Amino acid sequence: YNMLDKVAKTLKLKKAEIDILTIPKRSFIFSLPVIMDDSTTKIFTGYRIQFNNARGPTKGGIRFHPELDLEDVKTLAFLMTLKCAVVNVPFGGAKGGIVVDPSKLSEGELERLSKAYIRESYRFIGPETDIPAPDVNTNPKVMAWMLDEYEKIVGRHAPGVITGKPIELGGSYVRDISTSLGGTFVLKEIVKEFGMKPEGTKVVVQGFGNVGMNIARLLYEQKYKVIAVSDSKSGICNENGLDIKQVIEHKKNKKSMKGFENAKEITNKEILELKCDVLIPAALEHQITKENAGRIKAKIILEMANHPVTPDADVILEKNGVFVIPDILANSGGVVVSYFEWVQNNMNYYWKEEEVVSKLEEYMTKATKGLESSCKSFRCNMRDTLYIIAIDKILQAERLRGFLR
Ligand code: NAD
């Protein structure tokens, strides 16, 4: 949590406050036996960290990854605590996962593993205690299996125990594009504060998966000029703007950006260094490092991926006047719509798509408005400012509960 150091100094935090912020409330390690298709038994390791619940039940995704360890889960759970405070949803933070490469398992094995995770954790999760969601390598299908196992054990319907479910099982409209749509609402506010207009604002998007493709499409529809996009294989660029609907169609048919008409091909490295107004890393972590930060020519970076900018790159960008909108705000639309899903489940009454969209806009705009002036008054960049705001909210809740004087 070295990012806390600077904030701790600015807020003059006491040792007890730092401890309460950095020591997880509950940490679980589960052993998950699964009968494999060949009738052998394999034991997998699962984790769940309920980091902080001062502001509400803990909330955070479940990740399936072969290199997952308890420290990763702890850091991600801490970041979820901050993210929920930043967008002001009444949740604390959690994260969980299983050490597994899901591509090596059959569908049946994956289902049995997902259900085993719930059999070990059902006593500690629930709509009022801890609410999981999808993360890397998990999806609505996995959420549906997990929901089913939980409901079978507790003997009643309990859709609010997990979010990111298929619509048919109590999922919410907009959840599939919530992260990207939330990012567009954040950008709208910042662009306004910069005195710019969507028309003519030049955008570059790295990554063309769930988040990158959807944000490129949404911004294109909102009349931004998307001049370049890329995926893991290649990138394309047209200074006058790409027709993103056609790019999506092309990629669907050809499985690649290559050969798209009216655009020149560029590499993944070059795309980050293009002259533009808004650069959107939406692929992987650690894309902008001290090696390339000095060559970034964007005015604004909207971090849709998690940790795309390394801490030493942050310093260079700040010195060069590049305004970074950090991941804990930019990509928090997903957790906001997860919150809406949970609310709808708890009241058993479901909203129309327009209703979800307008409520998402309200939450994202509220979290973004006035941030630039807060940065000035704290004399911090936006990342530190958001940490200050989030930590202040969490400590205030701890104080009201009587844990701090
Ligand atoms: P995804 O797997 O759907 O897409 C990733 C995309 O990145 C793919 O198009 C892939 O081709 C591309 N890519 C991989 N390596 C690349 C490279 N070197 N250069 C350019 N492109 C490359 O994943 P996603 O769900 O879109 O997530 C993207 C990022 O957003 C991740 O950092 C994730 O943690 C973060 N995120 C996602 C969500 C969500 O709701 N999906 C929410 C919050 C944060």
Side-chain angles (χ1 to χ4, degrees):
Y1 317 106
N2 48 8
M3 60 256 206
L4 247 188
D5 293 350
K6 213 162 140 193
V7 179
K9 272 189 209 132
T10 313
L11 286 179
K12 300 196 176 66
L13 296 184
K14 300 191 192 91
K15 177 167 185 312
E17 291 170 327
I18 295 176
D19 285 350
I20 225 164
L21 284 169
T22 54
I23 302 171
K25 270 248 157 245
R26 292 166 151 191
S27 311
F28 301 96
I29 303 177
F30 307 118
S31 129
L32 311 170
V34 174
I35 305 278
M36 307 303 279
D37 291 348
D38 63 4
S39 294
T40 58
T41 299
K42 218 168 158 181
I43 314 280
F44 293 88
T45 303
Y47 302 116
R48 184 77 182 163
I49 298 218
Q50 299 172 346
F51 200 93
N52 185 293
N53 60 0
R55 300 183 61 261
T58 52
K59 178 105 193 75
I62 296 178
R63 173 174 294 206
F64 287 178
H65 200 276
E67 274 128 48
L68 190 71
D69 68 33
L70 199 59
E71 272 311 301
D72 298 335
V73 183
K74 216 187 270 182
T75 307
L76 293 165
F78 171 70
L79 285 172
M80 275 306 293
T81 311
L82 297 184
K83 204 181 263 195
C84 291
V86 160
V87 279
N88 213 18
V89 291
F91 289 134
K95 204 79 177 195
I98 301 179
V99 185
V100 62
D101 178 352
S103 69
K104 302 228 163 77
L105 264 56
S106 71
E107 176 137 333
E109 290 167 341
L110 211 53
E111 177 179 350
R112 294 195 287 282
L113 178 61
S114 304
K115 293 190 167 178
Y117 186 88
I118 294 300
R119 280 200 300 283
E120 291 312 317
S121 63
Y122 81 92
R123 286 182 196 82
F124 315 110
I125 64 171
E128 281 112 34
T129 44
D130 180 21
I131 306 123
D135 194 71
V136 174
N137 288 329
T138 53
N139 52 30
K141 191 194 257 177
V142 173
M143 298 304 110
W145 290 329
M146 290 184 165
L147 172 73
D148 178 68
E149 189 68 10
Y150 182 83
E151 291 185 335
K152 283 228 171 71
I153 297 172
V154 300
R156 60 186 147 80
H157 275 283
V161 70
I162 205 158
T163 60
K165 301 178 292 291
I167 296 265
E168 297 82 348
L169 295 183
S172 178
Y173 284 115
V174 186
R175 180 66 175 83
D176 49 345
I177 59 157
S178 55
T179 303
S180 306
L181 186 59
T184 69
F185 293 140
V186 171
L187 186 62
K188 186 172 159 190
E189 278 309 303
I190 300 291
V191 160
K192 225 192 284 170
E193 289 187 23
F194 270 73
M196 291 151 58
K197 287 209 171 66
E199 294 84 5
T201 294
K202 288 187 176 176
V203 178
V204 168
V205 183
Q206 182 206 35
F208 213 64
N210 183 330
V211 175
M213 182 185 74
N214 281 311
I215 199 161
R217 177 180 60 80
L218 290 163
L219 292 177
Y220 169 77
E221 286 166 4
Q222 292 166 23
K223 311 277 182 258
Y224 288 83
K225 198 185 268 185
V226 183
I227 61 164
V229 293
S230 71
D231 62 15
S232 59
K233 290 182 219 118
S234 62
I236 49 172
C237 171
N238 181 337
E239 282 296 323
N240 299 318
L242 296 160
D243 181 329
I244 296 298
K245 291 225 159 108
Q246 283 179 13
V247 177
I248 293 173
E249 200 54 35
H250 180 90
K251 170 139 185 181
K252 211 187 267 166
N253 296 334
K254 305 265 159 63
K255 304 273 172 273
S256 154
M257 308 268 173
K258 282 197 168 106
F260 184 76
E261 275 175 25
N262 291 328
K264 65 174 195 263
E265 217 172 284
I266 54 169
T267 67
N268 270 321
K269 243 181 114 188
E270 288 165 343
I271 196 169
L272 296 171
E273 297 168 19
L274 285 173
K275 189 165 167 14
C276 63
D277 298 299
V278 185
L279 171 62
I280 306 184
L284 306 170
E285 64 282 352
H286 305 160
Q287 293 302 296
I288 301 168
T289 63
K290 66 173 193 284
E291 194 272 317
N292 62 356
R295 293 192 299 276
I296 302 290
K297 295 178 204 75
K299 282 192 199 127
I300 298 169
I301 294 179
L302 181 70
E303 289 188 337
M304 292 306 292
N306 282 317
H307 329 294
V309 175
T310 61
D312 38 14
D314 238 350
V315 177
I316 300 169
L317 294 171
E318 197 175 351
K319 205 170 71 199
N320 292 348
V322 181
F323 190 82
V324 180
I325 309 171
D327 47 6
I328 60 167
L329 173 66
N331 68 27
S332 60
V335 75
V336 173
V337 175
S338 263
Y339 164 58
F340 296 160
E341 181 176 338
W342 178 78
V343 169
Q344 293 170 77
N345 296 151
N346 292 347
M347 64 179 178
N348 228 328
Y349 180 74
Y350 289 83
W351 302 335
K352 290 197 283 268
E353 187 174 341
E354 307 85 82
E355 207 166 344
V356 181
V357 170
S358 81
K359 285 188 162 75
L360 176 63
E361 177 161 21
E362 195 185 301
Y363 270 74
M364 301 309 294
T365 308
K366 195 159 174 230
T368 314
K369 242 193 172 82
L371 264 183
E372 238 208 304
S373 59
S374 304
C375 292
K376 286 198 184 105
S377 64
F378 290 129
R379 289 197 213 159
C380 282
N381 61 25
M382 196 179 245
R383 200 183 308 279
D384 293 337
T385 301
L386 286 168
Y387 284 155
I388 291 174
I389 291 171
I391 284 167
D392 193 49
K393 280 186 196 166
I394 298 159
L395 290 179
Q396 185 58 15
E398 296 282 10
R399 218 166 276 129
L400 288 166
R401 287 174 183 278
F403 294 126
L404 291 168
R405 290 281 188 272

